[in-house]
Amino acid sequence: MNVRRTTAAAAAALALSLTTVVGGSGAAQAVGAGSGSGSGAETITIGIKFDQPGIGLKTPDGTYTGFDVDVATYVAKELGFAPGDIKWKEAKSADRETLLQRGDVDFIAASYSINDEREKKVDFAGPYLLAHQDILVRADDDSIKEPEDLNNKKLCSVTGSTSAQNVKDELAPQAQLQEYGGYSECLTGLENEIIDAVTTDDSILAGYAAQDEFKGKFKLGGFKLSNENYGIGVQQGSELKAEINTALEKMVSDGSWDAYVEKNFGPANYENEPAPKIGNVVE
């Protein structure tokens, strides 16, 4: 009986210690407290998009591809985690701040544009990519040379996105907005000439256009309708921010950043901006 009680007490103490480690501030604080320098964490949880080819995509065989995936994998390596130590978690746009605040993820790399409103809730490392709102049209369509040419054209974006509405409000008031459930549907409509143009971030458009089934069929307008500074989101006050910034600087200096851009966007002839400097958010 004494042995049994001692074992139960030890088990209770172990459970309490585990709760202390993983509860409260969450996994992000455990990793941020010293990943790569003795934190003892065996895995790292990273939020990415699961449905954006070229950016973050979960493939049918359960693997993950895209520019953000490559960047996140590199950062994780610099923090002391091998690819097999990474747990990928879907970070939908509306859920990103909540995932970080609850500690469900250690950091998020998911076409996550830095802006004032988001910085009230989370911190950002980076930026690591400067994207722009743009349009995608058929490769043989020369009728849209400037944003105003979208007047009386069918312009597609996804339900809930503000991209198409911004074009209509500010540049082409006669544009005919079409909202689909996903960008893949917009591209199918574009390919079949039901849609004249698709709009969102140029990096996202390039990612779709670079897919095997779409290679050579589309081209970017090159309009640069907005500046989208992609950053890596972390919990407010997390020490991970500084560590991730160091990793991003190394990624650029050793040529990995250029290789990731070419790998994920090159087939779409994406004219990317140079790698941004850490802390330099372009308005």
Side-chain angles (χ1 to χ4, degrees):
M1 291 293 291
N2 287 338
V3 173
R4 189 172 296 142
R5 281 199 296 270
T6 301
T7 303
L14 177 60
L16 178 60
S17 66
L18 289 174
T19 301
T20 302
V21 171
V22 301
S25 59
Q29 289 297 334
V31 174
S35 62
S37 57
S39 70
E42 296 182 355
T43 61
I44 186 169
T45 303
I46 303 173
I48 57 170
K49 290 295 180 70
F50 278 14
D51 59 353
Q52 289 183 347
I55 299 289
L57 180 69
K58 182 178 182 179
T59 66
D61 63 3
T63 58
Y64 301 87
T65 66
F67 182 74
D68 283 350
V69 175
D70 289 335
V71 170
T73 302
Y74 186 101
V75 169
K77 178 195 69 175
E78 294 301 305
L79 295 176
F81 297 92
D85 299 330
I86 299 172
K87 294 183 177 180
W88 300 107
K89 188 175 183 65
E90 185 173 19
K92 295 181 179 180
S93 295
D95 299 335
R96 290 177 295 202
E97 287 82 34
T98 301
L99 289 171
L100 288 168
Q101 291 170 333
R102 288 195 314 222
D104 293 341
V105 294
D106 294 302
F107 66 81
I108 288 178
S111 54
Y112 202 2
S113 296
I114 302 170
N115 62 39
D116 292 341
E117 191 62 31
R118 290 170 179 162
E119 287 188 306
K120 295 176 182 177
K121 303 174 183 177
V122 301
D123 286 346
F124 285 97
Y128 63 91
L129 183 72
L130 176 59
H132 307 281
Q133 185 184 341
D134 200 357
I135 67 163
L136 194 72
V137 297
R138 288 181 292 278
D140 60 356
D141 185 355
D142 294 322
S143 66
I144 305 175
K145 295 183 173 62
E146 55 187 5
E148 291 75 13
D149 293 334
L150 290 167
N151 280 308
N152 300 313
K153 299 285 189 179
K154 293 179 180 177
L155 179 64
C156 187
S157 193
V158 300
T159 302
S161 170
T162 59
S163 298
Q165 189 64 50
N166 289 342
V167 171
K168 184 176 178 67
D169 290 345
E170 300 177 18
L171 299 168
Q174 302 305 314
Q176 301 173 28
L177 303 188
Q178 308 287 317
E179 287 190 339
Y180 285 6
Y183 289 112
S184 58
E185 297 173 46
C186 285
L187 264 70
T188 299
L190 184 61
E191 182 180 17
N192 295 330
E193 301 187 17
I194 299 170
I195 297 297
D196 298 307
V198 183
T199 186
T200 187
D201 295 357
D202 53 7
S203 58
I204 296 173
L205 295 173
Y208 274 101
Q211 299 305 290
D212 288 339
E213 65 266 36
F214 294 132
K215 283 181 181 177
K217 295 182 179 180
F218 307 120
K219 63 183 178 182
L220 290 161
F223 292 162
K224 298 183 179 181
L225 302 174
S226 69
N227 294 320
E228 306 296 336
N229 300 268
Y230 288 3
I232 292 181
V234 298
Q235 283 186 344
Q236 282 191 329
S238 173
E239 296 177 12
L240 270 182
K241 177 178 177 179
E243 295 185 54
I244 292 173
N245 278 336
T246 298
L248 293 175
E249 289 174 340
K250 182 178 179 181
M251 181 181 67
V252 173
S253 65
D254 69 14
S256 296
W257 187 89
D258 290 315
Y260 298 155
V261 169
E262 178 60 30
K263 169 188 171 185
N264 292 290
F265 305 131
N269 297 317
Y270 177 47
E271 296 182 4
N272 61 280
E273 299 279 5
K277 293 183 179 180
I278 299 301
N280 183 25
V281 177
V282 179
E283 300 293 338

